[in-house]
Amino acid sequence: MPDLTHGDDVAAVNSLRSAVMRLSRRLKHQRVDESLSPTEMSVLGTLSRCGQATPGELARKEHVQPPSMTRIVALLEAKGLVRLEPHPEDRRQKVVTQTEQAEAMLAEARVKRNAFLATLVDGLDEDEWAKLREAAPVLEKLAHL
């Protein structure tokens, strides 16, 4: 557990926060569809990782209020990127599923962002690249806590 009263731990946490935010901003600029907001792309990514979900489940996973998610899902549906289907067990609810168009767009976005990261990694030496490979699962864990 980091000791946020200790200089080295404070510096490390601050450095990690700053680096993750800057890198995230740079990756967000590597978009394939400028008509989608980062939030809409995030919802599509969640559906890609987790499969179909109710709007309420998506709201919890995306840390937004349910009415906001309802609007986001409606926008994505209008763009042909998700479809709403009856919930198999609760007829009062709907289930959101991404379409093939969304899957193709996400695949293209991943290729573009991976290529961007690969160009950045080219600037690392072998030791730095090895450390980054080791850190990747830890960063993935942090992203999903």
Side-chain angles (χ1 to χ4, degrees):
M1 177 69 86
D3 177 4
L4 296 182
T5 61
H6 186 263
D8 289 343
D9 285 350
V10 171
V13 167
N14 189 52
S15 180
L16 177 62
R17 177 198 47 78
S18 178
V20 167
M21 289 178 63
R22 281 193 313 263
L23 187 56
S24 176
R25 262 186 253 120
R26 291 180 71 187
L27 281 168
K28 283 179 185 175
H29 291 293
Q30 305 300 311
R31 295 169 57 184
V32 295
D33 187 333
E34 295 292 326
S35 70
L36 293 180
S37 71
T39 303
E40 290 169 325
M41 284 296 291
S42 182
V43 169
L44 292 177
T46 296
L47 287 170
S48 177
R49 279 188 311 281
C50 302
Q52 64 183 18
T54 66
E57 292 166 338
L58 284 172
R60 281 188 296 282
K61 289 178 182 186
E62 293 294 314
H63 306 285
V64 299
Q65 294 298 314
S68 296
M69 185 55 66
T70 300
R71 285 189 296 277
I72 293 165
V73 168
L75 289 169
L76 291 171
E77 184 180 30
K79 294 175 183 178
L81 298 172
V82 300
R83 62 181 168 275
L84 288 168
E85 300 167 343
H87 192 283
E89 298 163 6
D90 184 351
R91 291 301 209 184
R92 296 170 297 169
Q93 293 193 59
K94 298 284 186 183
V95 174
V96 183
T97 307
Q98 70 176 2
T99 64
E100 288 180 12
Q101 179 184 348
E103 290 174 22
M105 187 183 53
L106 284 171
E108 184 181 351
R110 284 185 194 109
V111 167
K112 184 174 183 179
R113 288 177 174 160
N114 286 348
F116 172 74
L117 280 174
T119 62
L120 295 179
V121 167
D122 275 345
L124 301 178
D125 63 34
E126 197 54 46
D127 186 51
E128 290 169 325
W129 175 225
K131 288 176 184 174
L132 187 57
R133 279 195 314 268
E134 284 183 33
V138 177
L139 292 171
E140 182 72 20
K141 181 177 179 177
L142 285 177
H144 295 285
L145 287 179

